[in-house]
Structures are given as C-alpha cells and as structure tokens.
Amino acid sequence: MIVVIKRGASAEEARTVVEKIKAMGFDVNVSQGAERLIIGVLGVRENKDTLAAQLGSLAGVERVMPISKSFKLVSREGAHADTIVKLANGAEIGGGLVHVMAGPCTVEGRDMLIETAKWVQACGATLLRGGAFKPSTSPYSFQGMGKEGLEILSEARALTGLPIITEVLDPRDVASVEAHADILQIGARNMQNFQLLKEVAKSRKPVMLKRGLSATIEEWLLAAEYIYAGGNHDVIMCERGIRTFETTTRNTLDLSAVPLVKQLSHLPVVVDPSHATGKWDLVTPMARAAVAAGADGLIIEVHPKPSDALKDGFESLTFNKFAAMMDAVRPVASAIGRPVASDAAAAV
Ligand code: PEP
Ligand code: MN
C-alpha cells in the first residue's frame, strides 16, 4: 500500500504517518518525489485494512492506495492455474467443458422433480438443480419443502446419477444440506452472509457462490475469499444478474463478469440466465452468449408446467424449450472449443 502525503504537509505530519505505520508492525519506505512525499507500507499483516482506514484520517494524508488485490487466494496474482472443481462422479467444472445444471427453481414434489431430472438429463444436463430451502423476498411466498425436498433430491440422484446442486440458507443447515448435495449453492441474497460463508468453508463439498444483487466484482471475489481462506478451495462463481436502473428485465446480466472474473481469479464461472433476465424467452439467447463469453457452465430453471410453478415460472423453460435451448447452445460451445460436457462424454 502507498500513502501519498499532501503537498505542503508539514514534516511533523509526515513523521506521524511513518510512526503510525511502524507502530502497527509494518516496514516503511519513504521516497521524496518532485512534488510529493510518497510512503510505501511494506509487509503482510491482518491489520492492513484497519491501518489503511486509520491513515486516511490523519492530517497531511492525501490518499491511501492499495497496490495488491484485496482478494489474495482467489486471485490470479501468483499465476495460479485454473481451479477445476471435481465432483464425486468425476465431472469437472472449470476443465474446459460446459456443464449445464438444470431443474426447477424449487422442489415442489417427488414426481415433478424426478420427471424433470430425467428430461434434463436426456437433453444433456449434467447436474440437477432444485431449491429445498428457498430465499424468498416476501415472507408470504413459498419457503421450500425443506428436509423433505432434500430427500427427494437424493432420490432423483439415485435414480439418474445426476449430481445435485441446492441452496443452503442457514449456517445451522449446512450439515443436513451437504449430506444430500454435491454442490452447496450460496444464493445472491446471502453472498455477504459471512457466518454462512465461514460455515460452508468448513465443508468438503464444493460451493457455488452467486453474485449478490448489488455486489461489485471485488465484493463478490472477497466473499469467495472467505470460503477459500476458510479451507474450502472448491469454489465456483455464478453470475446471475445485478440490479440496475433497468426494470424491464428482472436483473441485468453482466456478461463481462465472465471474462473479467476469469482474468482476476482462477475460479470457474457459471452463468444463470434464468434469474439474470427473469424472462423465459431471453434465457436461450443469453445462455448462448454466456457460453460464447467463456462460461464454464449454465444453471437453468426448467419446470414441467411453468404456469403452475410455485416460484419463478415466468423465467422457467418448458421441457421442449429446454431441449431447444440445448440444441442452440451446443454449436456455440463447440465453435469456441468448449463442448457441452454430456457431448464430450458421449464422444469418448
Ligand atoms: C435460485 O437459484 O433459485 C435463486 C434463488 O437464485 P438467486 O440467489 O440468484 O436469486
Ligand atoms: Mn428461482
């Protein structure tokens, strides 16, 4: 970190800054530029952010500038190789193939889930999604089937072999959700639930971290850093749209986040065009665009009858529309040399 001293600041003010830095355990490198005094803060310590904030309030300080990324372990700095998240069935997310995770927003019952699981698998999905614990904006809307929903997800996995991705909302539920899930999903509304992040960090199951509704890329990567630093290195990022002034779509899909997060971090990136757009007829075009932008996977809401869905029917694909989406995505994936995972498996 670099501290720029104001033009005209007194020698006493500069000395106070240097003493403060040293008192907090850092080394100092002072350099007198043509116009300003620049003080380099050297050393890696946990209290660096506190020091930065405190220095900013000292007289004579013009600016405090970080020079390395605030997220360290998930950063590309240090030339970390791409993280490949391996699932129990051997599937690899981030390994150059596009994984499609599909299923209903919410597990609504056994038959609908199993019927959906079989269909999406036949179409080429390699993971089954479905919420048992649902984060609902309104306390009056359906909160999910809870533990019963988890049992149904397990049964669907037993029948189809599809790994399960499902959301965990509460640190107290991590143990029961991880007993049924292959990937723990952290929803957008919980991206900065630091207690929950610390709890899933202790799990041995991979975590998919959705971007918060209004989270910057840095905040999102710092949330990932919590999980990584807590000991769980199997983290997948999921761009699911952010809140902007635009209200015609449910959210605004920030597609540039895909190549940007891949530049900044070694973690795989999945895109959720269902929640990003909130409109079923925008899902396929944005799914294709996401794959073209280099996404490692897609997560798509599919329902046997969206008009009867308990949640998110307006953005859910019917079975036939999901089949058509897969057909539309395949040529894009192949064109950029990152085939859909089920096609690559079939070709072996
Ligand atoms: C979901 O995947 O069903 C969901 C609630 O998504 P998000 O957290 O992105 O809103
Ligand atoms: Mn949903």
Side-chain angles (χ1 to χ4, degrees):
M1 155 167 92
I2 286 170
V3 186
V4 181
I5 301 297
K6 278 184 190 149
R7 251 169 121 164
S10 70
E12 181 57 33
E13 284 169 339
R15 215 174 10 254
T16 307
V17 171
V18 169
E19 276 161 16
K20 169 91 186 156
I21 297 168
K22 287 188 176 161
M24 288 189 55
F26 294 87
D27 289 326
V28 173
N29 181 309
V30 181
S31 99
Q32 178 64 63
E35 296 198 346
R36 279 175 177 69
L37 187 69
I38 307 282
I39 302 176
V41 180
L42 312 174
V44 180
R45 299 175 66 89
E46 252 191 7
N47 55 351
K48 205 166 197 171
D49 288 350
T50 312
L51 175 64
Q54 293 180 350
L55 287 175
S57 67
L58 284 182
V61 171
E62 183 175 301
R63 256 180 307 152
V64 180
M65 302 187 304
I67 49 171
S68 59
K69 298 277 188 296
S70 48
F71 45 91
K72 307 216 174 294
L73 301 172
V74 304
S75 161
R76 275 277 178 210
E77 274 176 7
H80 195 294
D82 284 351
T83 286
I84 299 177
V85 173
K86 293 191 183 68
L87 305 185
N89 72 345
E92 295 186 346
I93 299 172
L97 301 176
V98 173
H99 281 273
V100 179
M101 313 172 180
C105 177
T106 307
V107 180
E108 296 173 5
R110 182 187 177 278
D111 292 350
M112 68 78 74
L113 188 76
I114 287 166
E115 187 191 359
T116 309
K118 288 183 177 162
W119 180 270
V120 297
Q121 182 174 42
C123 294
T126 35
L127 285 98
L128 177 65
R129 66 145 291 150
F133 294 98
K134 291 306 299 179
S136 293
T137 300
S138 164
Y140 307 115
S141 55
F142 185 51
Q143 306 284 310
M145 292 182 76
K147 299 223 161 102
E148 195 187 345
L150 294 176
E151 305 279 348
I152 296 173
L153 285 163
S154 275
E155 191 183 345
R157 180 188 32 216
L159 285 171
T160 60
L162 285 177
I164 303 295
I165 175 164
T166 193
E167 178 161 356
V168 57
L169 277 181
D170 187 321
R172 293 165 297 187
D173 291 330
V174 172
S176 56
V177 176
E178 72 179 352
H180 295 275
D182 294 278
I183 303 180
L184 300 171
Q185 176 172 322
I186 300 292
R189 289 157 193 79
N190 268 324
M191 188 203 84
Q192 284 186 318
N193 180 340
F194 301 116
Q195 286 313 113
L196 181 60
L197 300 180
K198 285 180 188 169
E199 204 55 43
V200 297
K202 292 189 232 152
S203 172
R204 298 277 63 86
K205 291 284 168 77
V207 176
M208 188 175 85
L209 178 66
K210 293 189 121 188
R211 182 174 182 183
L213 293 116
S214 303
T216 63
I217 299 274
E218 188 181 17
E219 288 163 343
W220 184 22
L221 285 165
L222 280 168
E225 186 86 6
Y226 264 89
I227 304 171
Y228 206 96
N232 190 341
H233 297 180
D234 289 324
V235 183
I236 303 162
M237 306 296 277
C238 176
E239 163 61 39
R240 47 77 75 202
I242 48 175
R243 189 164 282 192
T244 67
F245 57 83
E246 181 55 72
T247 52
T248 316
T249 46
R250 185 176 183 184
N251 291 293
T252 297
L253 177 55
D254 179 9
L255 260 191
S256 62
V258 177
L260 182 56
V261 169
K262 283 172 159 286
Q263 264 172 33
L264 295 172
S265 168
H266 48 82
L267 298 176
V269 183
V270 162
V271 171
D272 175 348
S274 307
H275 292 88
T277 63
K279 290 179 185 273
W280 67 264
D281 51 353
L282 298 182
V283 170
T284 295
M286 297 324 286
R288 302 179 91 196
V291 168
D296 296 294
L298 298 167
I299 181 160
I300 308 287
E301 287 187 337
V302 179
H303 193 282
K305 196 166 176 219
S307 58
D308 286 349
L310 296 181
K311 276 182 116 56
D312 290 357
F314 40 84
E315 65 194 32
S316 299
L317 299 182
T318 60
F319 286 1
N320 287 338
K321 295 220 162 68
F322 179 68
M325 186 213 84
M326 291 300 293
D327 287 344
V329 162
R330 279 193 183 95
V332 178
S334 308
I336 64 159
R338 299 164 63 83
V340 169
S342 50
D343 293 352
V348 175

